[in-house]
Amino acid sequence: MQIILKLKTVIQLYDKQFVPFISAQEIEFAIAKMAAQVEADYADEIPVFIGVLNGSFMVVSDFLKQYKKPCEVSFIKLASYEGTSSTESIKQLIGLNQDLSGRSVIVIEDIVDTGNTLVELKELFKKENVKSFKIATLFFKPDAYKKDIKIDYIGVRIPNKFIVGFGLDYNGLGRNLPEIYQLEV
Ligand code: IMP
Ligand code: MG
């Protein structure tokens, strides 16, 4: 008889422990699905993808590799998180430096939690005279979401628990993990 012991990987980041939650394969599948949806919706135009730093760098990279039609990409940097909870005040650290008037813009987010960042983004793009403005996010926490801004493309809906990996961090750590880990409670 063969006994297979499956060891649970626990990731320690500072004072907190995280356990495996979403595999690299599931992430890849979710991103491919989003890229295919966007591609179908923007068949005849060249969209501008805007990644929201820091968290979205891995999503944007993998998304673009799956997006086979002509497109442009740019980044802005916002920050609202302190530790493991979202804050109301959002700082714009690197702003838009490209003329987006008349362009179809799709913001690519790593995760939408309370939606405070989306409100800020919407305000920001209102002034840009864009042709259209849509939002794509790899992860979405429906139970934490408090706004009524429509999210156009959603990769994976997740429970209201703190996660790290694939660009997402806990106080700066964990972004380099190729899969998603969840805070162990
Ligand atoms: P929101 O403004 O509350 O929607 O938060 C959005 C930002 O908070 C995201 O872009 C992330 O940077 C960060 N964030 C939200 N939830 C998590 C999480 O579970 N882990 C790590 N960062 C998160
Ligand atoms: Mg983010």
Side-chain angles (χ1 to χ4, degrees):
M1 197 177 72
Q2 199 185 13
I3 298 169
I4 299 167
L5 278 178
K6 209 173 167 209
L7 292 175
K8 198 159 121 181
T9 326
V10 176
I11 302 278
Q12 180 90 35
L13 301 175
Y14 294 121
D15 58 322
K16 304 220 183 306
Q17 293 194 326
F18 295 85
V19 292
F21 180 43
I22 299 171
S23 69
Q25 214 180 358
E26 285 172 272
I27 296 170
E28 195 189 318
F29 184 77
I31 293 177
K33 197 182 74 184
M34 280 206 293
Q37 286 170 346
V38 177
E39 224 180 85
D41 290 352
Y42 291 83
D44 305 317
E45 39 188 333
I46 300 175
V48 186
F49 296 116
I50 307 277
V52 184
L53 293 172
N54 287 330
S56 74
F57 69 97
M58 277 202 197
V59 190
V60 172
S61 169
D62 281 18
F63 180 93
L64 289 184
K65 282 179 265 175
Q66 303 279 358
Y67 194 89
K68 306 286 191 259
K69 300 230 174 84
C71 62
E72 291 177 28
V73 65
S74 193
F75 289 91
I76 57 170
K77 185 165 182 171
L78 303 173
S80 78
Y81 243 67
E82 273 166 27
T84 59
S85 61
S86 193
T87 62
E88 282 285 326
S89 71
I90 291 158
K91 287 176 284 199
Q92 192 182 328
L93 305 169
I94 299 175
L96 286 168
N97 58 358
Q98 192 184 343
D99 180 19
L100 294 172
S101 55
R103 302 299 304 271
S104 297
V105 170
I106 300 143
V107 160
I108 301 186
E109 269 281 29
D110 46 353
I111 190 164
V112 175
D113 184 27
T114 62
N116 291 334
T117 310
L118 289 192
V119 172
E120 175 79 4
L121 286 167
K122 233 185 153 168
E123 276 303 306
L124 208 85
F125 284 93
K126 237 196 226 166
K127 303 171 205 139
E128 296 294 319
N129 291 317
V130 297
K131 180 182 172 195
S132 66
F133 174 77
K134 287 197 179 182
I135 296 152
T137 185
L138 176 56
F139 299 112
F140 177 52
K141 294 180 183 170
D143 298 335
Y145 194 58
K146 295 188 230 138
K147 311 291 176 191
D148 49 18
I149 296 170
K150 185 182 168 220
I151 304 170
D152 304 278
Y153 307 97
I154 296 173
V156 191
R157 286 171 178 78
I158 60 166
N160 192 7
K161 279 194 193 160
F162 192 77
I163 59 170
V164 292
F166 205 75
L168 290 154
D169 71 305
Y170 168 54
N171 285 342
L173 293 185
R175 293 194 197 275
N176 55 324
L177 296 163
E179 54 284 299
I180 295 292
Y181 292 77
Q182 196 176 48
L183 183 62
E184 191 171 51
V185 276

